[in-house]
Amino acid sequence: MENRENILSWYILSGVDEICGDEPMNVLTDQNKQAVPVNTVNNQNSERPATTLLAQENTAACNSAREICDKAQTLEDLKAMVESFEGCSLKFSANSTVFGHGNPQAEVMIIGEAPGADEDRIGEPFVGRSGHLLDKMLQAVAIRREDCFITNILPWRPPGNRTPTEGEVAVCLPFLQRQIELIKPRILLLLGGSAANAVLGNADSISNMRGHFIDYITASGMNIPALASFHPAFLLRSPAQKSKAWADMMRLQRKLAE
Ligand code: URA
Protein backbone atom coordinates (compact mmCIF):
# COMPACT_ATOMS: atom_id res chain seq x y z
CA MET A 1 0.00 0.00 0.00
CA GLU A 2 2.78 2.35 1.04
CA ASN A 3 4.65 1.42 -2.12
CA ARG A 4 1.63 2.33 -4.28
CA GLU A 5 1.40 5.73 -2.56
CA ASN A 6 5.11 6.28 -3.21
CA ILE A 7 4.64 5.49 -6.91
CA LEU A 8 1.65 7.84 -7.13
CA SER A 9 3.51 10.69 -5.44
CA TRP A 10 6.47 10.07 -7.77
CA TYR A 11 4.09 10.36 -10.77
CA ILE A 12 2.69 13.63 -9.42
CA LEU A 13 6.19 15.03 -8.80
CA SER A 14 7.07 14.12 -12.41
CA GLY A 15 4.07 16.08 -13.72
CA VAL A 16 1.90 13.01 -14.46
CA ASP A 17 -1.30 14.26 -12.82
CA GLU A 18 -3.93 13.15 -15.32
CA ILE A 19 -5.11 9.85 -16.78
CA CYS A 20 -5.80 10.33 -20.50
CA GLY A 21 -6.89 6.78 -21.30
CA ASP A 22 -6.74 3.15 -20.24
CA GLU A 23 -3.81 2.26 -22.49
CA PRO A 24 -0.38 3.88 -22.11
CA MET A 25 0.47 6.02 -25.15
CA ASN A 26 3.75 7.59 -26.27
CA VAL A 27 2.62 10.57 -28.35
CA LEU A 28 6.12 11.08 -29.75
CA THR A 29 7.02 7.56 -30.95
CA ASP A 30 3.43 6.69 -31.92
CA GLN A 31 3.60 9.39 -34.54
CA ASN A 32 7.24 8.78 -35.47
CA LYS A 33 8.05 12.43 -34.77
CA GLN A 34 11.83 12.00 -34.63
CA ALA A 35 13.91 15.11 -35.30
CA VAL A 36 16.20 14.21 -38.23
CA PRO A 37 18.38 16.88 -39.86
CA VAL A 38 17.45 16.57 -43.55
CA ASN A 39 19.47 19.28 -45.26
CA THR A 40 22.71 17.76 -44.09
CA VAL A 41 21.90 14.08 -44.69
CA ASN A 42 23.62 13.78 -48.08
CA ASN A 43 25.68 16.91 -47.90
CA GLN A 44 28.05 16.93 -44.96
CA ASN A 45 29.69 20.19 -46.15
CA SER A 46 26.45 22.10 -46.58
CA GLU A 47 26.65 25.59 -45.13
CA ARG A 48 22.88 25.88 -44.94
CA PRO A 49 21.47 25.50 -41.44
CA ALA A 50 20.04 22.05 -40.75
CA THR A 51 16.29 21.89 -41.17
CA THR A 52 14.67 19.08 -39.24
CA LEU A 53 11.71 17.04 -40.41
CA LEU A 54 9.94 18.31 -37.30
CA ALA A 55 10.56 21.93 -38.34
CA GLN A 56 9.32 21.17 -41.86
CA GLU A 57 6.24 19.43 -40.50
CA ASN A 58 5.64 22.37 -38.22
CA THR A 59 5.83 24.83 -41.10
CA ALA A 60 3.44 22.66 -43.09
CA ALA A 61 1.05 22.51 -40.11
CA CYS A 62 1.21 26.33 -39.70
CA ASN A 63 0.44 26.84 -43.38
CA SER A 64 -2.40 24.36 -43.24
CA ALA A 65 -3.88 26.06 -40.13
CA ARG A 66 -3.65 29.44 -41.89
CA GLU A 67 -5.38 28.15 -45.03
CA ILE A 68 -8.14 26.49 -43.01
CA CYS A 69 -8.73 29.62 -40.92
CA ASP A 70 -9.15 31.88 -43.93
CA LYS A 71 -12.19 29.82 -44.91
CA ALA A 72 -13.96 30.21 -41.54
CA GLN A 73 -16.71 32.81 -41.84
CA THR A 74 -18.28 32.18 -38.43
CA LEU A 75 -17.10 31.11 -34.99
CA GLU A 76 -19.03 27.85 -35.40
CA ASP A 77 -17.12 27.10 -38.65
CA LEU A 78 -13.84 27.89 -36.93
CA LYS A 79 -14.66 25.74 -33.89
CA ALA A 80 -15.44 22.76 -36.15
CA MET A 81 -12.18 23.35 -38.04
CA VAL A 82 -10.13 23.44 -34.84
CA GLU A 83 -11.83 20.27 -33.61
CA SER A 84 -10.94 18.38 -36.78
CA PHE A 85 -7.40 19.82 -37.12
CA GLU A 86 -4.66 17.23 -36.56
CA GLY A 87 -1.54 19.33 -37.12
CA CYS A 88 -0.71 19.82 -33.43
CA SER A 89 0.37 16.76 -31.44
CA LEU A 90 -1.05 18.24 -28.21
CA LYS A 91 -4.47 17.24 -29.48
CA PHE A 92 -3.59 13.57 -29.04
CA SER A 93 -2.76 13.78 -25.35
CA ALA A 94 -5.65 16.11 -24.43
CA ASN A 95 -9.16 15.01 -23.46
CA SER A 96 -10.93 18.02 -24.98
CA THR A 97 -10.50 20.72 -27.57
CA VAL A 98 -11.05 23.88 -25.55
CA PHE A 99 -12.31 26.50 -27.97
CA GLY A 100 -13.10 30.09 -26.94
CA HIS A 101 -16.27 30.61 -24.95
CA GLY A 102 -18.54 33.53 -24.16
CA ASN A 103 -20.30 36.39 -25.90
CA PRO A 104 -19.54 36.41 -29.65
CA GLN A 105 -20.26 40.18 -29.64
CA ALA A 106 -17.99 40.83 -26.67
CA GLU A 107 -16.28 44.19 -26.24
CA VAL A 108 -13.56 42.51 -24.18
CA MET A 109 -11.75 39.41 -25.42
CA ILE A 110 -9.62 37.71 -22.79
CA ILE A 111 -6.73 35.51 -23.91
CA GLY A 112 -4.82 33.10 -21.66
CA GLU A 113 -2.14 30.51 -22.36
CA ALA A 114 -3.60 27.01 -22.51
CA PRO A 115 -6.23 24.85 -20.83
CA GLY A 116 -5.26 23.29 -17.49
CA ALA A 117 -6.54 20.01 -16.04
CA ASP A 118 -10.01 21.37 -15.15
CA GLU A 119 -10.47 23.06 -18.52
CA ASP A 120 -9.33 19.88 -20.30
CA ARG A 121 -11.90 17.85 -18.34
CA ILE A 122 -14.79 20.30 -18.75
CA GLY A 123 -13.95 21.63 -22.24
CA GLU A 124 -14.20 25.36 -21.38
CA PRO A 125 -11.48 27.95 -20.77
CA PHE A 126 -10.73 29.34 -17.30
CA VAL A 127 -13.04 27.17 -15.20
CA GLY A 128 -10.46 26.04 -12.60
CA ARG A 129 -8.65 27.95 -9.84
CA SER A 130 -7.24 30.55 -12.25
CA GLY A 131 -10.70 30.99 -13.71
CA HIS A 132 -12.20 31.65 -10.28
CA LEU A 133 -9.62 34.35 -9.63
CA LEU A 134 -10.27 35.81 -13.09
CA ASP A 135 -14.00 35.96 -12.25
CA LYS A 136 -13.19 37.94 -9.08
CA MET A 137 -10.88 40.30 -10.99
CA LEU A 138 -13.64 41.01 -13.51
CA GLN A 139 -16.29 41.43 -10.82
CA ALA A 140 -14.07 43.95 -9.04
CA VAL A 141 -14.36 46.30 -12.03
CA ALA A 142 -18.01 45.50 -12.75
CA ILE A 143 -17.33 43.45 -15.89
CA ARG A 144 -19.48 40.36 -16.27
CA ARG A 145 -17.70 37.19 -17.39
CA GLU A 146 -20.66 36.34 -19.63
CA ASP A 147 -20.21 39.64 -21.49
CA CYS A 148 -16.62 38.71 -22.42
CA PHE A 149 -15.22 36.20 -24.88
CA ILE A 150 -12.56 34.05 -23.19
CA THR A 151 -10.02 31.94 -25.04
CA ASN A 152 -6.41 30.71 -25.02
CA ILE A 153 -3.50 30.71 -27.44
CA LEU A 154 -3.71 26.90 -27.47
CA PRO A 155 -6.94 24.90 -27.58
CA TRP A 156 -5.27 21.79 -26.10
CA ARG A 157 -3.70 21.21 -22.71
CA PRO A 158 0.07 20.62 -22.78
CA PRO A 159 0.81 17.44 -20.75
CA GLY A 160 1.42 18.25 -17.08
CA ASN A 161 0.71 21.95 -17.84
CA ARG A 162 4.19 22.39 -19.27
CA THR A 163 4.97 25.64 -21.10
CA PRO A 164 3.93 25.33 -24.75
CA THR A 165 6.76 25.13 -27.28
CA GLU A 166 7.27 27.85 -29.91
CA GLY A 167 6.21 25.33 -32.57
CA GLU A 168 2.92 24.54 -30.80
CA VAL A 169 2.16 28.24 -30.40
CA ALA A 170 3.00 28.95 -34.06
CA VAL A 171 0.71 26.17 -35.32
CA CYS A 172 -2.26 27.27 -33.20
CA LEU A 173 -1.81 31.04 -33.60
CA PRO A 174 -3.82 31.33 -36.86
CA PHE A 175 -6.86 29.90 -35.03
CA LEU A 176 -6.56 32.55 -32.34
CA GLN A 177 -5.99 35.34 -34.86
CA ARG A 178 -9.12 34.29 -36.75
CA GLN A 179 -11.13 34.25 -33.50
CA ILE A 180 -10.06 37.85 -32.92
CA GLU A 181 -11.07 38.80 -36.50
CA LEU A 182 -14.48 37.18 -36.08
CA ILE A 183 -15.25 38.62 -32.62
CA LYS A 184 -13.90 42.12 -33.42
CA PRO A 185 -13.58 43.07 -29.74
CA ARG A 186 -12.94 46.66 -28.65
CA ILE A 187 -10.18 45.58 -26.28
CA LEU A 188 -7.93 42.55 -25.83
CA LEU A 189 -6.87 41.52 -22.32
CA LEU A 190 -3.77 39.33 -22.56
CA LEU A 191 -3.13 37.25 -19.47
CA GLY A 192 0.51 36.36 -18.91
CA GLY A 193 3.72 36.59 -20.89
CA SER A 194 3.02 33.66 -23.25
CA ALA A 195 -0.31 35.11 -24.40
CA ALA A 196 1.11 38.62 -24.77
CA ASN A 197 4.21 37.40 -26.67
CA ALA A 198 2.14 35.22 -29.00
CA VAL A 199 -0.45 37.89 -29.82
CA LEU A 200 1.90 40.86 -30.03
CA GLY A 201 4.64 38.86 -31.76
CA ASN A 202 7.44 39.93 -29.45
CA ALA A 203 9.66 38.39 -26.78
CA ASP A 204 9.29 41.14 -24.18
CA SER A 205 8.77 40.31 -20.51
CA ILE A 206 5.31 40.57 -18.98
CA SER A 207 6.66 43.08 -16.43
CA ASN A 208 7.58 45.43 -19.29
CA MET A 209 4.41 44.89 -21.29
CA ARG A 210 1.78 45.07 -18.56
CA GLY A 211 0.06 48.24 -17.56
CA HIS A 212 -0.29 50.03 -20.89
CA PHE A 213 -2.22 49.58 -24.10
CA ILE A 214 -0.33 48.28 -27.14
CA ASP A 215 -1.84 48.39 -30.64
CA TYR A 216 -2.70 45.01 -32.13
CA ILE A 217 -3.34 45.15 -35.87
CA THR A 218 -5.34 42.27 -37.35
CA ALA A 219 -4.70 40.73 -40.78
CA SER A 220 -7.59 42.78 -42.18
CA GLY A 221 -6.17 46.01 -40.69
CA MET A 222 -8.35 46.46 -37.57
CA ASN A 223 -6.49 48.23 -34.77
CA ILE A 224 -7.42 46.79 -31.37
CA PRO A 225 -5.83 48.11 -28.16
CA ALA A 226 -4.35 45.22 -26.17
CA LEU A 227 -3.67 45.35 -22.44
CA ALA A 228 -1.28 42.77 -21.03
CA SER A 229 -1.49 41.83 -17.37
CA PHE A 230 -0.35 39.10 -15.01
CA HIS A 231 -1.83 35.63 -15.43
CA PRO A 232 -4.18 34.63 -12.57
CA ALA A 233 -2.09 31.45 -12.00
CA PHE A 234 0.93 33.69 -11.36
CA LEU A 235 -1.14 35.87 -9.01
CA LEU A 236 -2.18 32.77 -7.05
CA ARG A 237 1.51 31.98 -6.55
CA SER A 238 2.57 35.61 -6.00
CA PRO A 239 -0.30 37.42 -4.26
CA ALA A 240 1.92 40.46 -3.61
CA GLN A 241 1.58 41.28 -7.34
CA LYS A 242 -2.21 41.52 -7.12
CA SER A 243 -2.09 45.30 -6.61
CA LYS A 244 -0.49 45.71 -10.06
CA ALA A 245 -3.12 43.45 -11.62
CA TRP A 246 -5.78 45.53 -9.85
CA ALA A 247 -4.34 48.71 -11.39
CA ASP A 248 -4.46 47.00 -14.82
CA MET A 249 -8.12 46.08 -14.35
CA MET A 250 -8.88 49.72 -13.51
CA ARG A 251 -7.14 50.74 -16.76
CA LEU A 252 -9.33 48.27 -18.61
CA GLN A 253 -12.47 49.70 -16.97
CA ARG A 254 -11.46 53.30 -17.85
CA LYS A 255 -10.73 52.35 -21.47
CA LEU A 256 -14.14 50.68 -21.78
CA ALA A 257 -15.81 53.82 -20.49
CA GLU A 258 -14.14 56.05 -23.15
N1 URA B 1 -4.84 28.98 -17.62
C1 URA B 1 -4.98 29.47 -18.88
O1 URA B 1 -4.09 30.15 -19.39
N2 URA B 1 -6.10 29.18 -19.52
C2 URA B 1 -7.08 28.46 -19.01
O2 URA B 1 -8.10 28.25 -19.68
C3 URA B 1 -6.92 27.98 -17.69
C4 URA B 1 -5.79 28.25 -17.01
Side-chain angles (χ1 to χ4, degrees):
M1 183 62 184
E2 202 183 300
N3 195 28
R4 210 181 296 167
E5 278 173 13
N6 285 342
I7 293 173
L8 281 176
S9 56
W10 166 245
Y11 277 159
I12 290 167
L13 279 173
S14 316
V16 182
D17 59 356
E18 191 81 359
I19 297 169
C20 302
D22 292 334
E23 296 294 325
M25 169 178 69
N26 185 335
V27 289
L28 293 176
T29 56
D30 286 356
Q31 291 170 67
N32 294 319
K33 303 250 182 201
Q34 307 278 358
V36 180
V38 291
N39 280 349
T40 53
V41 169
N42 295 319
N43 182 1
Q44 301 296 326
N45 298 324
S46 168
E47 287 181 5
R48 293 168 65 199
T51 304
T52 64
L53 283 178
L54 257 187
Q56 288 183 342
E57 280 180 22
N58 211 62
T59 309
C62 291
N63 291 340
S64 138
R66 235 173 263 126
E67 263 172 43
I68 292 172
C69 286
D70 288 346
K71 297 193 185 115
Q73 296 306 317
T74 64
L75 275 180
E76 290 71 31
D77 285 351
L78 187 60
K79 182 169 188 240
M81 287 168 182
V82 176
E83 281 167 350
S84 60
F85 183 72
E86 303 212 324
C88 179
S89 60
L90 289 179
K91 176 178 191 164
F92 303 102
S93 54
N95 289 306
S96 326
T97 296
V98 181
F99 192 72
H101 192 263
N103 183 346
Q105 267 109 42
E107 295 202 314
V108 181
M109 182 164 173
I110 302 173
I111 303 174
E113 181 176 303
D118 293 314
E119 291 76 17
D120 183 46
R121 197 165 27 245
I122 294 167
E124 262 184 45
F126 281 101
V127 289
R129 281 185 75 216
S130 294
H132 294 149
L133 179 55
L134 175 62
D135 289 348
K136 286 189 196 153
M137 290 161 69
L138 292 170
Q139 273 164 15
V141 288
I143 297 175
R144 290 167 3 133
R145 179 186 170 112
E146 52 273 34
D147 291 337
C148 303
F149 189 85
I150 305 182
T151 192
N152 282 305
I153 50 176
L154 297 178
W156 298 289
R157 180 193 185 209
N161 294 345
R162 65 160 169 76
T163 305
T165 65
E166 277 181 25
E168 287 158 357
V169 172
V171 169
C172 297
L173 194 58
F175 295 118
L176 174 66
Q177 290 168 333
R178 192 71 189 144
Q179 280 178 82
I180 300 175
E181 287 270 9
L182 291 170
I183 302 275
K184 300 182 180 59
R186 262 185 69 202
I187 298 175
L188 293 174
L189 176 62
L190 310 176
L191 296 177
S194 300
N197 291 150
V199 173
L200 301 173
N202 65 23
D204 211 349
S205 72
I206 185 65
S207 307
N208 277 342
M209 285 182 287
R210 63 151 287 277
H212 52 272
F213 285 90
I214 302 174
D215 287 340
Y216 170 76
I217 317 279
T218 68
S220 70
M222 263 185 295
N223 186 338
I224 306 176
L227 178 67
S229 189
F230 290 129
H231 193 288
F234 168 76
L235 295 172
L236 287 168
R237 294 192 304 270
S238 314
Q241 301 297 324
K242 281 186 182 171
S243 58
K244 290 183 187 149
W246 164 246
D248 294 341
M249 296 306 288
M250 303 282 281
R251 289 185 179 97
L252 175 66
Q253 190 185 40
R254 281 198 297 275
K255 187 81 170 177
L256 272 176
E258 278 176 6

